[in-house]
Amino acid sequence: MRNFIFVSPNFPANYWKFCRELKNNGFNVLGIGDCPYDNLSVELKTSLNEYYKVNSLENYDEVFKAVAFFTFKYGKIDYLESNNEYWLERDALLRTEFNISTGFKTKDMKKVKYKSQMKKFYKKAGIKVARHYLVKTLAGCRKFISEVGYPVIVKPDNGVGAEATYKLKNEQELIDFLNKNPKGYIMEEYLDAIVNSYDAIVDGNGNPVFETGLVEMGDLMDIVNSQDNSCYYYLNNPLDDVRDAGRRTLKAFGVKNRFVHFEFFRLLKDQHIGKKGEVVALEVNMRPAGGCSPDMMNYANSTDVYKIWADVMAFGKTDVEPQEKFYCTYAGRRNGKPFLYSEQDILDKYKSNIKQIWHVPAALSGCMGNLSFLANFKTKEEMNAFFDDVLKER
């Protein structure tokens, strides 16, 4: 029997479904986490063969000992994954030290975690990238800005989502930013664009066995910084140009045996980098899209991405096929806003469409709101009316 270590299987809360499908496919599913066993959901407990609690997942020595214990007890570890951006580097280090061959190793981390390094591989894929400068000095920033103009975007070169990302609109904002003595930041030209994603489950030969994608209806950076509502939707089919860019990116990065979430900008007007409507690079994420997004993929495609992923891990292929197609919406409300319609009003009006109501955990609420409604619609017109009703304020 093959052994699969799943790191932090309890967060996000829906990740127990990955464990369930791995176990159904014959793996020993071995969890490592810092949540007390008694506090794990019943669903997760029944999806694990064994659970090793550490005091803190941040403590590498503790996690190392947990992997060593499982290796001693069960033998060779075939896979180690968290499917979580926060732990990707930790996962890679553990694979390196325990010689687990199915996944990225430490030597691979720069290209998949550092935005400045990602650009090289996007270029290899033939995809345009925004001009950038690794922030060092005021003079260097001024020189870069003289070439691209204000505004510019600054964000951690190794960061997650829109965390600590800012738009600088003038010299004073630049100086204020630099006075905070930021370390490890990248500065990029501002692009007037919306985000389209390419989400895929990739087999051991680097071929996608499932593909979908989302469209963001707002600027995630602005949502985080202004604590605004969040809205996006999963398409019932990937857009052709995004699918093409995503597949080329898979090959450039050499992705195998992974769930991925690649982000692209679709330009809203002609700019230095390209023409209106063109798809250009943003960043790669070598894990599923966050939070409830895997569930949204299921709703949009009438499928089960948890099983598809586990099938690829176990058998290298899957016989699961998407069925009826929808637009699956995410409408995330922010606490404290005077919404016109109550939660019950929305439930009453859209009871045949709503698939899930999600109280967003604090760790994810910065970019996803506090209370979200996931719903399916056959047309964009129905979807847009739903967004209006959920997010309309008095």
Side-chain angles (χ1 to χ4, degrees):
M1 185 175 287
R2 290 183 294 171
N3 302 310
F4 198 114
I5 291 179
F6 206 107
V7 178
S8 188
N10 59 298
F11 186 85
N14 51 325
Y15 274 24
W16 69 269
K17 298 174 187 177
F18 286 120
C19 297
R20 175 192 63 195
E21 298 304 329
L22 289 170
K23 192 173 184 181
N24 287 343
N25 283 346
F27 281 103
N28 272 327
V29 186
L30 311 170
I32 301 174
D34 52 17
C35 179
Y37 181 78
D38 289 344
N39 292 349
L40 299 179
S41 69
V42 172
E43 294 90 348
L44 178 55
K45 288 178 180 177
T46 58
S47 300
L48 297 174
N49 294 84
E50 188 166 351
Y51 180 72
Y52 190 113
K53 181 192 176 298
V54 295
N55 291 319
S56 172
L57 284 172
E58 299 282 358
N59 187 322
Y60 181 73
D61 288 341
E62 281 193 278
V63 179
F64 182 94
K65 289 176 182 176
V67 177
F69 170 79
F70 282 145
T71 302
F72 176 78
K73 183 172 181 178
Y74 294 99
K76 176 177 168 41
I77 304 302
D78 297 283
Y79 289 91
L80 184 149
E81 295 286 355
S82 66
N83 279 347
N84 191 317
E85 183 75 26
Y86 191 79
W87 301 116
L88 286 187
E89 290 173 287
R90 170 69 55 82
D91 294 348
L93 180 56
L94 289 166
R95 287 191 211 102
T96 301
E97 298 211 322
F98 284 91
N99 196 29
I100 301 169
S101 60
T102 50
F104 290 116
K105 302 288 188 69
T106 296
K107 64 180 175 60
D108 302 309
M109 281 297 98
K110 279 191 175 182
K111 72 179 182 182
V112 302
K113 286 290 292 177
Y114 287 81
K115 296 172 177 63
S116 57
Q117 297 297 314
M118 294 174 190
K119 293 176 183 290
K120 300 175 184 178
F121 293 87
Y122 270 125
K123 288 180 180 178
K124 182 179 176 182
I127 301 166
K128 295 177 181 178
V129 300
R131 292 170 288 180
H132 76 284
Y133 167 69
L134 289 174
V135 175
K136 295 179 182 177
T137 65
L138 174 59
C141 290
R142 283 172 169 163
K143 181 176 185 300
F144 176 72
I145 294 168
S146 72
E147 297 170 2
V148 304
Y150 281 110
V152 291
I153 302 299
V154 289
K155 52 191 174 182
D157 194 20
N158 181 7
V160 180
E163 176 187 7
T165 299
Y166 310 102
K167 183 194 294 184
L168 306 182
K169 300 182 288 295
N170 53 54
E171 173 84 359
Q172 187 58 55
E173 290 185 358
L174 171 63
I175 292 172
D176 291 343
F177 168 72
L178 292 175
N179 282 341
K180 297 176 183 177
N181 197 29
K183 302 293 185 185
Y185 266 73
I186 184 173
M187 178 179 288
E188 293 183 332
E189 63 180 314
Y190 174 75
L191 300 180
D192 191 356
I194 60 170
V195 173
N196 286 195
S197 79
Y198 172 81
D199 299 74
I201 299 171
V202 188
D203 68 18
N205 295 315
N207 299 314
V209 300
F210 171 81
E211 298 170 299
T212 187
L214 66 77
V215 176
E216 289 187 356
M217 299 182 70
D219 188 316
L220 186 58
M221 175 188 62
D222 289 341
I223 290 169
V224 172
N225 290 333
S226 65
Q227 291 293 281
D228 202 354
N229 302 315
S230 175
C231 55
Y232 63 93
Y233 62 94
Y234 264 92
L235 295 156
N236 47 19
N237 277 302
L239 298 168
D240 289 341
D241 53 359
V242 177
R243 179 193 284 112
D244 174 65
R247 289 180 176 180
R248 284 187 281 137
T249 304
L250 286 177
K251 290 181 180 179
F253 280 86
V255 180
K256 296 180 180 179
N257 287 316
R258 295 206 72 76
F259 208 139
V260 301
H261 173 67
F262 295 164
E263 295 178 344
F264 299 91
F265 276 134
R266 184 177 299 280
L267 302 179
L268 294 176
K269 63 181 183 182
D270 291 354
Q271 294 165 72
H272 177 274
I273 195 173
K275 298 292 186 181
K276 179 180 178 180
E278 190 173 348
V279 169
V280 301
L282 178 50
E283 64 182 57
V284 298
N285 300 279
M286 298 298 178
R287 43 75 182 173
C292 59
S293 292
D295 294 324
M296 293 180 66
M297 298 176 201
N298 285 345
Y299 299 141
N301 294 278
S302 303
T303 191
D304 187 342
V305 297
Y306 302 102
K307 177 169 173 51
I308 294 171
W309 176 83
D311 285 353
V312 168
M313 298 300 107
F315 315 121
K317 59 182 181 179
T318 186
D319 58 5
V320 177
E321 292 287 344
Q323 301 299 318
E324 189 175 4
K325 301 282 192 171
F326 300 90
Y327 295 97
C328 184
T329 66
Y330 181 99
R333 287 180 163 183
R334 188 73 62 183
N335 286 346
K337 288 184 176 290
F339 294 106
L340 180 62
Y341 299 113
S342 69
E343 179 179 342
Q344 191 60 51
D345 291 336
I346 300 299
L347 286 173
D348 290 342
K349 183 172 182 178
Y350 292 100
K351 60 185 176 182
S352 63
N353 304 96
I354 289 176
K355 309 300 290 184
Q356 184 178 326
I357 295 177
W358 189 42
H359 293 270
V360 184
L364 302 175
S365 63
C367 60
M368 303 190 77
N370 303 104
L371 176 68
S372 65
F373 298 83
L374 278 58
N376 270 6
F377 298 94
K378 277 294 188 180
T379 69
K380 282 189 175 181
E381 290 75 20
E382 294 173 304
M383 177 186 74
N384 289 332
F386 173 74
F387 278 128
D388 287 342
D389 283 345
V390 173
L391 302 179
K392 187 177 295 181
E393 298 181 20
R394 291 192 293 270

Coordinates of all heavy atoms in Angstrom, one line a residue, residues 225-265:
N225 N -7.1 46.0 0.3 CA -6.7 47.3 0.9 C -7.8 48.1 1.4 O -7.7 48.9 2.4 CB -5.8 48.1 0.0 CG -4.4 47.4 -0.2 OD1 -3.9 46.7 0.6 ND2 -3.8 47.6 -1.4
S226 N -9.0 48.0 0.7 CA -10.1 48.9 1.1 C -11.2 48.1 1.8 O -12.2 48.6 2.2 CB -10.7 49.5 -0.2 OG -11.3 48.5 -1.0
Q227 N -10.9 46.8 2.0 CA -11.9 45.9 2.7 C -13.2 46.0 2.0 O -14.3 46.1 2.7 CB -12.0 46.2 4.2 CG -10.7 45.9 5.0 CD -10.5 44.4 5.1 OE1 -11.1 43.7 5.8 NE2 -9.6 43.9 4.2
D228 N -13.2 45.8 0.7 CA -14.4 45.8 -0.1 C -15.0 44.4 -0.2 O -14.4 43.4 0.2 CB -14.1 46.5 -1.4 CG -15.4 47.0 -2.1 OD1 -16.5 46.8 -1.5 OD2 -15.3 47.6 -3.2
N229 N -16.2 44.3 -0.8 CA -16.8 43.0 -1.1 C -15.9 42.3 -2.2 O -15.2 43.0 -2.9 CB -18.2 43.2 -1.6 CG -19.1 43.9 -0.6 OD1 -19.0 43.6 0.6 ND2 -19.9 44.9 -1.1
S230 N -16.1 41.0 -2.3 CA -15.4 40.2 -3.3 C -16.3 39.5 -4.2 O -17.3 38.9 -3.7 CB -14.5 39.2 -2.5 OG -13.8 38.4 -3.4
C231 N -16.0 39.5 -5.5 CA -16.9 38.8 -6.4 C -16.1 38.3 -7.6 O -15.3 39.0 -8.2 CB -18.1 39.6 -6.9 SG -17.7 41.2 -7.6
Y232 N -16.3 37.0 -7.9 CA -15.7 36.4 -9.1 C -16.6 35.2 -9.5 O -17.5 34.9 -8.8 CB -14.3 36.0 -8.9 CG -14.0 34.9 -7.8 CD1 -14.0 33.6 -8.2 CD2 -13.9 35.3 -6.5 CE1 -13.7 32.6 -7.2 CE2 -13.6 34.3 -5.5 CZ -13.6 32.9 -5.9 OH -13.4 32.0 -4.9
Y233 N -16.2 34.6 -10.6 CA -17.0 33.5 -11.1 C -16.1 32.5 -11.8 O -15.1 32.9 -12.4 CB -18.2 33.9 -11.9 CG -17.9 34.6 -13.2 CD1 -17.8 33.8 -14.4 CD2 -17.8 35.9 -13.3 CE1 -17.6 34.5 -15.6 CE2 -17.5 36.6 -14.4 CZ -17.4 35.9 -15.6 OH -17.2 36.5 -16.8
Y234 N -16.5 31.2 -11.7 CA -15.9 30.2 -12.5 C -16.6 30.0 -13.8 O -17.9 29.9 -13.8 CB -15.7 28.9 -11.7 CG -14.4 28.8 -11.1 CD1 -14.2 29.2 -9.8 CD2 -13.3 28.3 -11.8 CE1 -12.9 29.2 -9.2 CE2 -12.0 28.2 -11.2 CZ -11.8 28.7 -9.9 OH -10.6 28.7 -9.4
L235 N -15.9 29.9 -14.9 CA -16.5 29.7 -16.2 C -16.9 28.2 -16.3 O -16.3 27.3 -15.7 CB -15.5 30.0 -17.3 CG -15.0 31.5 -17.3 CD1 -13.7 31.6 -18.0 CD2 -16.1 32.3 -18.1
N236 N -17.9 28.0 -17.2 CA -18.3 26.7 -17.5 C -17.4 26.0 -18.5 O -17.4 24.8 -18.8 CB -19.8 26.6 -18.0 CG -20.1 27.7 -19.0 OD1 -19.2 28.2 -19.6 ND2 -21.4 28.0 -19.2
N237 N -16.5 26.8 -19.2 CA -15.5 26.3 -20.0 C -14.3 27.3 -20.0 O -14.6 28.5 -20.0 CB -15.9 26.2 -21.5 CG -16.6 24.9 -21.7 OD1 -16.1 23.8 -21.5 ND2 -17.9 24.9 -22.2
P238 N -13.1 26.9 -20.0 CA -11.9 27.8 -20.1 C -12.0 28.6 -21.4 O -12.4 28.1 -22.4 CB -10.7 26.9 -20.0 CG -11.2 25.6 -19.6 CD -12.6 25.5 -20.0
L239 N -11.7 29.9 -21.3 CA -11.6 30.7 -22.5 C -10.4 30.2 -23.4 O -9.3 29.8 -22.8 CB -11.4 32.1 -22.2 CG -12.5 32.8 -21.4 CD1 -12.2 34.1 -20.8 CD2 -13.8 32.9 -22.2
D240 N -10.6 30.1 -24.7 CA -9.6 29.5 -25.5 C -8.2 30.1 -25.4 O -7.2 29.4 -25.3 CB -10.0 29.6 -27.0 CG -11.2 28.7 -27.3 OD1 -11.5 27.8 -26.5 OD2 -11.9 29.0 -28.3
D241 N -8.1 31.4 -25.3 CA -6.7 32.0 -25.2 C -6.1 31.8 -23.9 O -4.9 31.6 -23.8 CB -6.8 33.5 -25.6 CG -7.8 34.3 -24.7 OD1 -8.5 33.7 -23.9 OD2 -7.9 35.6 -24.9
V242 N -6.9 31.7 -22.8 CA -6.4 31.4 -21.5 C -6.0 30.0 -21.4 O -4.9 29.6 -20.9 CB -7.4 31.7 -20.4 CG1 -6.9 31.3 -19.0 CG2 -7.8 33.2 -20.4
R243 N -6.7 29.1 -22.0 CA -6.4 27.6 -22.1 C -5.0 27.5 -22.8 O -4.1 26.8 -22.3 CB -7.4 26.8 -22.8 CG -7.1 25.3 -22.8 CD -7.9 24.5 -23.8 NE -9.3 24.3 -23.2 CZ -10.4 24.8 -23.7 NH1 -10.4 25.7 -24.7 NH2 -11.5 24.5 -23.1
D244 N -4.9 28.2 -23.9 CA -3.6 28.1 -24.7 C -2.5 28.6 -23.9 O -1.4 27.9 -23.8 CB -3.8 28.8 -26.0 CG -2.5 28.9 -26.7 OD1 -2.0 27.8 -27.2 OD2 -1.9 30.0 -26.9
A245 N -2.6 29.7 -23.2 CA -1.5 30.3 -22.4 C -1.2 29.4 -21.2 O -0.1 29.2 -20.8 CB -1.9 31.7 -21.9
G246 N -2.3 28.8 -20.6 CA -2.1 27.9 -19.5 C -1.3 26.7 -19.8 O -0.4 26.2 -19.1
R247 N -1.6 26.1 -21.0 CA -1.0 24.8 -21.4 C 0.5 25.1 -21.7 O 1.4 24.3 -21.4 CB -1.7 24.2 -22.6 CG -3.0 23.6 -22.3 CD -3.7 23.0 -23.5 NE -4.9 22.4 -23.1 CZ -5.7 21.8 -24.0 NH1 -5.4 21.8 -25.3 NH2 -6.8 21.2 -23.6
R248 N 0.8 26.3 -22.3 CA 2.2 26.6 -22.6 C 2.9 26.9 -21.3 O 4.1 26.5 -21.2 CB 2.2 27.8 -23.5 CG 1.9 27.5 -25.0 CD 2.1 28.7 -25.9 NE 1.0 29.7 -25.8 CZ 1.1 31.0 -25.8 NH1 2.4 31.5 -25.7 NH2 0.1 31.8 -25.7
T249 N 2.3 27.4 -20.3 CA 2.9 27.7 -19.1 C 3.2 26.4 -18.3 O 4.3 26.2 -17.7 CB 2.0 28.6 -18.2 OG1 1.7 29.8 -18.9 CG2 2.7 28.9 -16.9
L250 N 2.3 25.4 -18.4 CA 2.6 24.1 -17.8 C 3.9 23.5 -18.3 O 4.7 23.0 -17.6 CB 1.4 23.1 -18.1 CG 0.1 23.3 -17.4 CD1 -0.9 22.3 -18.0 CD2 0.3 23.1 -15.9
K251 N 4.0 23.6 -19.7 CA 5.2 23.0 -20.3 C 6.5 23.8 -19.9 O 7.5 23.2 -19.6 CB 5.1 23.0 -21.8 CG 4.0 22.0 -22.3 CD 3.9 22.0 -23.8 CE 2.9 21.0 -24.3 NZ 2.8 21.0 -25.8
A252 N 6.4 25.1 -19.8 CA 7.6 25.9 -19.5 C 8.1 25.7 -18.1 O 9.3 25.6 -17.8 CB 7.2 27.4 -19.7
F253 N 7.1 25.4 -17.2 CA 7.5 25.2 -15.8 C 7.7 23.7 -15.5 O 8.2 23.4 -14.4 CB 6.4 25.7 -14.8 CG 6.5 27.2 -14.6 CD1 5.9 28.1 -15.4 CD2 7.2 27.7 -13.5 CE1 5.9 29.5 -15.2 CE2 7.2 29.1 -13.2 CZ 6.6 29.9 -14.1
G254 N 7.4 22.8 -16.4 CA 7.6 21.4 -16.2 C 6.8 20.8 -15.1 O 7.2 20.0 -14.3
V255 N 5.5 21.2 -15.1 CA 4.6 20.8 -14.1 C 4.1 19.4 -14.3 O 3.7 19.0 -15.4 CB 3.3 21.7 -14.0 CG1 2.4 21.3 -12.9 CG2 3.8 23.2 -13.8
K256 N 4.1 18.6 -13.2 CA 3.6 17.2 -13.2 C 3.0 16.9 -11.9 O 3.4 17.4 -10.9 CB 4.8 16.2 -13.5 CG 5.4 16.3 -14.8 CD 6.6 15.3 -15.0 CE 7.2 15.5 -16.4 NZ 8.3 14.5 -16.6
N257 N 1.9 16.0 -11.9 CA 1.3 15.6 -10.7 C 0.8 16.7 -9.8 O 1.1 16.7 -8.6 CB 2.2 14.6 -10.0 CG 2.3 13.2 -10.6 OD1 1.3 12.7 -11.1 ND2 3.5 12.7 -10.7
R258 N 0.2 17.7 -10.4 CA -0.2 18.8 -9.5 C -1.6 19.4 -9.9 O -2.0 19.3 -11.0 CB 0.8 20.0 -9.6 CG 2.2 19.6 -9.1 CD 2.9 20.8 -8.6 NE 2.4 21.3 -7.4 CZ 2.6 20.8 -6.2 NH1 3.3 19.7 -6.0 NH2 2.1 21.3 -5.1
F259 N -2.2 20.0 -8.9 CA -3.3 20.9 -9.1 C -2.7 22.3 -9.2 O -1.9 22.7 -8.3 CB -4.2 20.8 -7.9 CG -5.7 21.1 -8.1 CD1 -6.6 20.3 -7.5 CD2 -6.1 22.2 -8.9 CE1 -8.0 20.6 -7.7 CE2 -7.4 22.4 -9.2 CZ -8.4 21.6 -8.5
V260 N -3.0 23.1 -10.2 CA -2.4 24.4 -10.4 C -3.5 25.5 -10.6 O -4.6 25.3 -11.0 CB -1.4 24.5 -11.6 CG1 -0.3 23.4 -11.4 CG2 -2.1 24.2 -12.9
H261 N -3.0 26.7 -10.3 CA -3.9 27.9 -10.5 C -3.0 29.0 -11.0 O -2.2 29.7 -10.3 CB -4.5 28.3 -9.1 CG -5.2 29.6 -9.1 ND1 -6.4 29.8 -9.8 CD2 -4.9 30.8 -8.5 CE1 -6.8 31.1 -9.6 NE2 -5.9 31.7 -8.8
F262 N -3.0 29.2 -12.4 CA -2.2 30.2 -13.0 C -3.0 31.4 -13.3 O -4.2 31.3 -13.8 CB -1.7 29.7 -14.4 CG -0.7 28.5 -14.3 CD1 -0.5 27.7 -15.4 CD2 -0.1 28.1 -13.1 CE1 0.4 26.6 -15.3 CE2 0.7 27.1 -13.0 CZ 1.0 26.3 -14.1
E263 N -2.5 32.6 -13.0 CA -3.2 33.8 -13.2 C -2.6 34.7 -14.3 O -1.4 34.8 -14.5 CB -3.1 34.6 -11.9 CG -3.9 33.9 -10.7 CD -3.8 34.7 -9.4 OE1 -2.9 35.6 -9.3 OE2 -4.6 34.4 -8.5
F264 N -3.6 35.2 -15.1 CA -3.2 36.0 -16.2 C -4.0 37.3 -16.2 O -5.1 37.4 -15.6 CB -3.5 35.3 -17.6 CG -2.8 34.0 -17.8 CD1 -3.3 32.8 -17.3 CD2 -1.5 34.0 -18.4 CE1 -2.6 31.6 -17.5 CE2 -0.8 32.8 -18.5 CZ -1.4 31.6 -18.1
F265 N -3.5 38.4 -16.8 CA -4.2 39.6 -16.9 C -4.8 39.6 -18.3 O -4.2 39.3 -19.3 CB -3.3 40.8 -16.8 CG -3.0 41.3 -15.4 CD1 -1.7 41.6 -15.0 CD2 -4.0 41.5 -14.5 CE1 -1.5 42.0 -13.7 CE2 -3.8 41.9 -13.2 CZ -2.5 42.2 -12.8

